[in-house]
Amino acid sequence: MSIQMNVDWLAALLMGLAGAGHCVMMCGGIAGAFAGQVNKTQLFIYNLGRITSYAIAGALIGAAVGSIAGLADQGLVSLRIIAAFVLIAFGLYLGQWWFGLRHLERLGQPLWRRLQPFATSFRQRKSSYVSLFSAGMLWGWLPCGLVYSALSWAAISGSAMQGGLFMIAFGLGTLPAMFAFGWLSHSIQQLFKSKGFRQLMGALMIVYGLWTLIIAVRQLQLV
């Protein structure tokens, strides 16, 4: 199980890194505009708040699903099958072949409309680290298919600690694109946004999802 968990944490990092193009498209405007107004320490604190929100969400869903599944092998393997399908769906979304995850993003829009004014207000108080961290935490609740896909994997961790750690690994994977966005050259930004890059990363996610699905189905047959 520890080997599988290590693989899952690696997958979390890869999901964050593979979603660089998606992050630039979804959050690049926020990060780019903000990066021009603050120094690197302030931007790091802002992103630290975002990753903290991911960790909280991962811990909550890991604890909730773990208590329902009772950590039964069959239950967790079944959840892994669902997570594999979600990852495949994200790969299709990332590659712009199918946009079903947009329905999930729409579900989070009502909450984000309530949080966005507070996030903007906190973000404008750039001299306060507490305000920057708070703004980042609110930014972490921006509706995003990439985050929802990662949360589906945090759910199969079976515990609050493992779910939180998974989302921290995922957040660290997204950090390079978000932290460096304001300092990347225009050509690299265009690479992240390019259709070819997004499709390559989407294909990678689909392959990993299919590999996970095959293994999970075999495990389910053995339970």
Side-chain angles (χ1 to χ4, degrees):
M1 186 65 182
S2 60
I3 295 177
Q4 182 63 60
M5 189 57 64
N6 289 335
V7 172
D8 286 348
W9 287 346
L10 177 60
L13 282 168
L14 289 176
M15 287 177 70
L17 290 170
H22 180 74
C23 289
V24 169
M25 295 292 288
M26 286 287 293
C27 308
I30 299 175
F34 193 55
Q37 302 173 14
V38 299
N39 58 42
K40 294 182 180 181
T41 300
Q42 291 170 317
L43 188 59
F44 175 78
I45 292 173
Y46 189 58
N47 278 279
L48 183 61
R50 177 176 61 86
I51 295 174
T52 299
S53 285
Y54 293 165
I56 292 172
L60 290 174
I61 196 169
V65 174
S67 63
I68 294 173
L71 297 180
D73 289 341
Q74 186 173 1
L76 290 178
V77 173
S78 298
L79 289 174
R80 184 170 290 276
I81 291 175
I82 295 174
F85 277 115
V86 172
L87 186 58
I88 292 170
F90 172 68
L92 293 170
Y93 178 41
L94 192 63
Q96 299 180 329
W97 296 302
W98 183 68
F99 298 96
L101 284 184
R102 284 184 177 174
H103 297 296
L104 285 178
E105 291 181 347
R106 293 193 185 103
L107 292 176
Q109 286 293 343
L111 174 62
W112 176 242
R113 281 194 291 268
R114 292 178 179 273
L115 295 179
Q116 188 174 18
F118 296 102
T120 301
S121 177
F122 281 127
R123 195 168 66 238
Q124 291 171 346
R125 305 172 194 171
K126 297 182 289 292
S127 60
S128 170
Y129 285 167
V130 174
S131 294
L132 287 173
F133 183 82
S134 299
M137 285 195 68
L138 291 173
W139 181 21
W141 298 99
L142 174 73
C144 174
L146 174 59
V147 176
Y148 296 158
S149 299
L151 283 173
S152 72
W153 281 74
I156 66 177
S157 65
S159 71
M161 179 179 291
Q162 298 295 346
L165 289 174
F166 181 92
M167 290 305 293
I168 289 175
F170 164 76
L172 291 175
T174 67
L175 194 57
M178 288 294 94
F179 183 71
F181 184 83
W183 294 276
L184 288 174
S185 67
H186 179 72
S187 59
I188 296 179
Q189 293 179 30
Q190 292 304 309
L191 171 64
F192 282 161
K193 294 180 182 179
S194 68
K195 184 177 180 180
F197 178 83
R198 289 167 63 87
Q199 289 186 340
L200 177 62
M201 294 299 100
L204 179 64
M205 294 296 97
I206 291 171
V207 169
Y208 185 78
L210 289 172
W211 177 74
T212 301
L213 180 62
I214 292 172
I215 292 179
V217 169
R218 288 178 177 174
Q219 289 176 338
L220 190 61
Q221 293 173 343
L222 295 175
V223 174

